[in-house]
C-alpha cells in the first residue's frame, strides 16, 4: 500500500497515530469533512491493498491499520522543506541545527558506504523495516503529507524529532554490514529508509 493511494481514496492525507512500534495506525476525519457516511468510506479504504483493517470510531473518525508501514517509502519524494535559520555552531547535540544537519550527513554516508560494501541497490522489501527504531522513523515520515498541506506545519520541531529518531536507528539498526556480516535484504531496506530521510533533512553531505 502506498500512502499516496490511501490519501487518494480518502481525499486527503491521513494522520499517523501512536508509536507504530507494534501496529501502524492512521486516523482520518475525511468522512466528516466530506460529509460521507463513515461506513461507506471505510469500505472503500478496506479495498486498498495493504490495509489490514478499518474501524469507524464513535467520533466518526476512521482508524486505519496498515500491514507493512515501510511501504510508504515506495511513493516518497524529496520533501523540499526549507532549512530553518539555525546557527552552524556549536556543533553539539544542544544545537538543533547540528542535530538535523548531522542526520542528513549520516544518511549521505549510508549511501556511499552501501555502494562500497556491496549492498544491493534493488530488491527493496519494506516488510523488513520491522525493528522498533526503524518503525519510529517511518512513523515520523508518515507525518509529512499532512504537514505539507497544513497552515502551520511546524517544520523546525518536526525536523529535530525526525533527526533524533534517525540517529537512533543509524546506531542501533545499521544500514550497512558490520564486521564480517554479509550484505543482505535488510540492509537494502534500511538504505532505502536512509534515502528517504536524506530527502527530508536539510544539510551538507559531509560534516
Amino acid at each position: 500500500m502506498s500512502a499516496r493511494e490511501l490519501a487518494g481514496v480518502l481525499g486527503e492525507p491521513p494522520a499517523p497515530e501512536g508509536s507504530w512500534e507494534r501496529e501502524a495506525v492512521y486516523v482520518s476525519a475525511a468522512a466528516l469533512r466530506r460529509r460521507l457516511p463513515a461506513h461507506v468510506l471505510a469500505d472503500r479504504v478496506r479495498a486498498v491493498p495493504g490495509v489490514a483493517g478499518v474501524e469507524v470510531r464513535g467520533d466518526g473518525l476512521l482508524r486505519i491499520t496498515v500491514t507493512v508501514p515501510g511501504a510508504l517509502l515506495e511513493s516518497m519524494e524529496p520533501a523540499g522543506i526549507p532549512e530553518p535559520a539555525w546557527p552552524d555552531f556549536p556543533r553539539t547535540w544542544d544545537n538543533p541545527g547540528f542535530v538535523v544537519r548531522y542526520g542528513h550527513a549520516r544518511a549521505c554516508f549510508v549511501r556511499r558506504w552501501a555502494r562500497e560494501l556491496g549492498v544491493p541497490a534493488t530488491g527493496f522489501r519494506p516488510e523488513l523495516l520491522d525493528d522498533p527504531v526503524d518503525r519510529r522513523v517511518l512513523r515520523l515520515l508518515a507525518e509529512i503529507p499532512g504537514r505539507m498541506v497544513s497552515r502551520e506545519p511546524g517544520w523546525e520541531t518536526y525536523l529535530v524529532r525526525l533527526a533524533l529518531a534517525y540517529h537512533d536507528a543509524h546506531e542501533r539498526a545499521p544500514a550497512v554490514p558490520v564486521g564480517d556480516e554479509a550484505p543482505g535484504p535488510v540492509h537494502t531496506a534500511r538504505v532505502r529508509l536512509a534515502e528517504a530521510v536524506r530527502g527530508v533533512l536539510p544539510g551538507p553531505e559531509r560534516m
Side-chain angles (χ1 to χ4, degrees), residues 120-128 184-186 188-189 192:
T122 58
F124 172 54
R125 292 172 54 191
E127 73 275 10
L128 297 180
V186 70
T188 300
R192 184 70 166 267

Side-chain angles (χ1 to χ4, degrees), residues 63-133:
R63 184 181 187 273
I64 305 161
T65 307
V66 299
T67 309
V68 182
L72 69 87
L73 299 182
E74 295 175 330
S75 60
M76 276 208 65
E77 300 174 0
I81 300 170
E83 182 173 358
W86 285 313
D88 192 25
F89 292 96
R91 291 188 172 178
T92 67
W93 294 103
D94 293 326
N95 178 2
F98 169 77
V99 172
V100 170
R101 294 177 188 124
Y102 186 39
H104 177 88
R106 276 184 147 179
C108 293
F109 164 88
V110 164
R111 170 193 268 188
R112 293 192 298 271
W113 275 100
R115 191 164 47 238
E116 292 190 19
L117 295 174
V119 175
T122 58
F124 172 54
R125 292 172 54 191
E127 73 275 10
L128 297 180
L129 293 171
D130 203 37
D131 189 284
V133 295

Side-chain angles (χ1 to χ4, degrees), residues 13 144-151:
I144 292 176
R147 288 181 180 273
M148 293 290 286
V149 299
S150 172
R151 293 180 181 178

Side-chain angles (χ1 to χ4, degrees), residues 155-186:
W155 288 126
E156 290 195 16
T157 301
Y158 171 77
L159 290 172
V160 174
R161 288 171 56 223
L162 176 61
L164 288 172
Y166 180 66
H167 285 303
D168 196 29
H170 182 85
E171 294 172 4
R172 295 172 56 190
V176 294
V178 177
D180 296 331
E181 184 182 13
V186 70

Side-chain angles (χ1 to χ4, degrees), residues 57 59 64 120 198 206:
R57 299 196 328 197
D59 54 8
I64 305 161
R198 188 184 67 83
R206 299 174 188 266

